[in-house]
Every structure is written in structure tokens, then in C-alpha cells.
């Protein structure tokens, strides 16, 4: 995973598929408040909403909301079955990736390599309701530049010998019909910084994220570091799934909003601009129009 280029709030690209009516549904899915149901959503064709959710990797969030948060949703029996099967399949996918990550992290610890799990897997159980609702394709791991070669050697020892899309991505076959391959991306940069000292400091501040079903915990970025990373990634590579992550992290870390105790890096401020644009009622602007804070009515998970 390469560090994204530094964005500018004045040149922020628009999230893909932002046209109505699908964008209303996508914003609804990114909003952590399950009780908020936009009026326009009721008139949106389910087919268009479903297609948009699939394209943006939010279909499991859509399934969860339609099956559990919207008992009034008029779903056919085949649609109800499809949505349920989709969530169950992704839960199995995430569980397999989590098991592989536990194995890798354990072996890295034996080699005295500090590591943090990033992005999808790190957020799956920490920010979202249980059941594997956060969709992702790769395992993203952060190590220091000095430990990158050792990390790749450890992956090779564990069977990750196939090259992936990036120079520091490795894959292995699993023999599982649902998830035939697992891909691991070794990163040495964070979204908001490529400075090795900053990365090492973030690794030293890692926290443990609770194990699923009594399983082993995983090291993840401290919430403050995770928020800066997620905001910078959102600004540089705008994605709806990234918007959902950043919104949940921002609500869990209100002291880091712009205008709070410490100034944010420009990349993170640009991420706040994306949040304000697409979740304006969730993040309210100050009178100056340059800062944003979590709005009323939400609570950290």
C-alpha cells in the first residue's frame, strides 16, 4: 500500500456514483446512526440502490440495515435470502482473513517485528456491528521500513509466495471455495505521513482490538492515528467505504476534529472536507466554515 499524494481541499475529487437517488442510499449507509432514514430513500428503486451498494462494497451494510434496521422494507423472499447469504458469506471471508492475520502477526512477534493491522480488517469489529459487515479484499499490515524485508520473509515462510498487485504484496492459495486466495500488503507509510519516525511512533502506540468469538486480539493503530490515516486516505482516494470508516472514527475521536486541541495535518483537514461534503448533517461546520465537529445525536460505538 503506497502513501497517497498530499491532497488539497480546493481540489478534492468527488466520490464515485454521487448522483441521486443512489447517493442518498450510500450516504445513509456511511452514516453510523442506524435510526436516520432519509425521506428520499423510500422512493429510490431498490435495484439502483443494490447496484450502487455492490459497486462501492457497501452491500453488507445495506443488507444489515434492510434486514434488521428496516423491518418495514418490502423485500421479496428471494431478495431476503440473497441479502442474508451475502452477509454470511462475507462474515466467513472476514473470519478466514482474521485467522490468517493472527498467524502472521504471531510469527512477526517471534521475529521481534512491531506491526499494526490497517484498514478493513482493523475496522471490521472495532467500528461496525458484529457479523462481518465491513467488506475488504486484502490484509493490510504496517511495519517500519527497516522491518519490511523481514516481514516479506516471514510471509514466504507462511506460504505467501505468489506476487500480488504491488511490489510488497504477497498471496497464497487457501483451498477454500469461498475465499480461494488471501493477499497481504506490507506497508511502511501511513496515509498522513511517510516519515519513518512518525511510523515507528505510531507502531509504538498500537492498541489491541478485541478478538472475535474469544479469538486472539490483533494490534491496531491507536484511534487518533487511525483517524488521521483514514482521513488522509479518504481525501487522496475518495471511496464510500473510506467515508464510512472515517465517519465512525471521527465520532469515536471527537477531540481530533479541526479546531480542537492540536492542529491536523493538511491531508487530514482535506478528509474533513470530504466528510462535510457528503455527511453535512453529521458533521456541523463552525461559523468560519473551515472547521467541522461531530454533530448532535451520534455516539461512538
Amino acid at each position: 500500500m503506497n502513501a497517497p499524494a498530499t491532497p488539497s481541499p480546493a481540489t478534492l475529487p468527488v466520490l464515485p456514483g454521487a448522483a441521486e437517488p443512489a447517493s442518498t442510499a450510500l450516504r445513509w449507509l456511511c452514516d453510523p446512526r442506524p435510526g436516520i432514514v432519509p425521506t428520499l430513500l423510500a422512493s429510490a428503486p431498490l435495484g439502483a440502490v443494490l447496484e450502487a451498494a455492490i459497486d462501492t462494497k457497501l452491500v453488507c451494510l445495506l443488507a444489515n440495515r434492510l434486514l434488521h434496521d428496516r423491518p418495514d422494507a418490502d423485500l421479496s423472499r428471494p431478495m431476503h435470502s440473497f441479502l442474508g447469504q451475502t452477509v454470511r458469506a462475507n462474515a466467513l471471508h472476514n473470519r478466514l482473513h482474521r485467522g490468517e492475520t493472527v498467524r502472521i502477526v504471531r510469527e512477526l512477534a517471534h521475529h521481534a517485528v512491531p506491526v499494526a493491522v490497517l484498514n478493513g480488517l482493523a475496522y471490521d469489529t472495532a467500528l461496525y456491528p458484529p457479523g462481518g459487515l465491513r467488506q475488504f479484499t486484502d490484509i493490510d499490515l504496517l511495519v517500519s521500513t527497516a522491518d519490511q524485508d523481514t516481514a516479506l520473509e516471514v510471509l514466504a515462510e507462511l506460504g505467501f509466495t505468489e506476487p500480488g498487485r504491488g511490489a510488497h504484496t504477497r498471496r497464497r492459495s487457501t483451498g477454500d471455495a469461498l475465499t480461494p486466495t488471501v493477499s497481504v500488503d506490507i506497508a511502511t507509510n501511513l496515509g498522513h505521513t511517510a516519515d519513518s519516525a512518525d511510523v515507528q511512533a505510531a507502531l509504538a502506540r498500537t492498541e489491541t482490538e478485541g478478538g472475535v468469538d474469544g479469538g486472539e486480539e490483533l494490534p491496531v493503530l491507536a484511534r487518533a492515528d487511525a483517524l488521521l490515516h483514514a482521513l488522509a486516505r479518504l481525501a487522496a482516494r475518495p471511496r464510500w467505504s473510506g467515508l464510512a470508516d472515517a465517519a465512525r472514527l471521527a465520532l469515536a475521536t471527537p477531540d481530533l476534529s479541526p479546531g480542537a486541541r492540536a492542529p491536523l495535518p493538511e491531508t487530514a483537514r482535506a478528509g474533513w472536507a470530504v466528510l462535510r461534503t457528503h455527511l453535512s448533517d453529521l458533521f456541523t461546520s463552525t461559523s468560519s466554515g473551515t472547521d467541522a465537529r461531530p454533530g448532535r445525536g451520534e455516539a461512538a460505538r
Side-chain angles (χ1 to χ4, degrees):
M1 185 183 66
N2 297 324
T6 301
S8 167
T11 58
L12 288 177
V14 179
L15 284 168
E20 298 290 0
S23 65
T24 298
L26 295 177
R27 284 192 292 270
W28 173 56
L29 296 176
C30 292
D31 191 326
R33 301 169 295 176
I36 304 299
V37 181
T39 303
L40 185 60
L41 187 64
S43 61
L46 180 57
V49 172
L50 181 60
E51 180 180 6
I54 292 174
D55 288 344
T56 56
K57 296 184 180 179
L58 297 179
V59 68
C60 288
L61 278 176
L62 174 64
N64 182 69
R65 293 216 160 164
L66 291 179
L67 297 177
H68 301 292
D69 297 337
R70 291 286 310 277
D72 59 330
D74 185 16
L75 301 176
S76 67
R77 181 175 296 180
M79 178 61 74
H80 194 284
S81 176
F82 166 77
L83 294 174
Q85 290 175 6
T86 299
V87 173
R88 289 192 294 273
N90 197 62
L92 292 173
H93 169 277
N94 290 7
R95 189 177 304 165
L96 187 149
H97 278 73
R98 185 181 182 88
E100 289 292 307
T101 306
V102 166
R103 195 166 66 101
I104 296 167
V105 168
R106 189 183 298 145
E107 192 62 28
L108 288 173
H110 290 163
H111 287 75
V113 174
V115 60
V117 183
L118 301 176
N119 307 331
L121 180 59
Y123 303 146
D124 180 37
T125 58
L127 300 178
Y128 293 86
L133 302 186
R134 177 55 163 90
Q135 295 173 248
F136 57 87
T137 55
D138 300 335
I139 298 169
D140 294 314
L141 300 178
L142 175 72
V143 302
S144 68
T145 301
D147 289 326
Q148 187 174 64
D149 289 342
T150 301
L152 292 173
E153 291 171 3
V154 166
L155 288 180
E157 293 172 0
L158 295 176
F160 290 86
T161 56
E162 302 174 30
R165 291 178 298 178
H168 303 111
T169 303
R170 299 291 184 271
R171 304 170 19 156
R172 85 169 188 89
S173 300
T174 64
D176 182 83
L178 179 64
T179 309
T181 61
V182 171
S183 179
V184 181
D185 192 4
I186 299 295
T188 57
N189 298 332
L190 289 168
H192 60 289
T193 179
D195 184 88
S196 59
D198 290 342
V199 171
Q200 289 180 336
L203 288 169
R205 290 190 293 264
T206 55
E207 303 170 349
T208 55
E209 178 264 316
V212 178
D213 299 328
E216 192 168 332
E217 294 181 330
L218 292 172
V220 298
L221 294 176
R223 282 294 171 90
D225 294 321
L227 175 60
L228 296 179
H229 171 68
L231 288 173
R233 279 173 54 84
L234 176 62
R237 301 178 64 191
R239 296 179 179 181
W240 290 96
S241 58
L243 183 72
D245 293 338
R248 285 159 173 78
L249 282 165
L251 294 180
T253 322
D255 289 345
L256 278 185
S257 61
R261 292 176 298 178
L264 295 181
E266 182 62 25
T267 52
R269 293 182 65 85
W272 273 105
V274 177
L275 286 181
R276 288 200 306 274
T277 299
H278 295 282
L279 294 175
S280 57
D281 62 333
L282 183 60
F283 296 96
T284 59
S285 300
T286 65
S287 59
S288 67
T290 58
D291 294 339
R293 307 256 182 143
R296 296 177 295 174
E298 62 277 349
R301 183 173 179 268

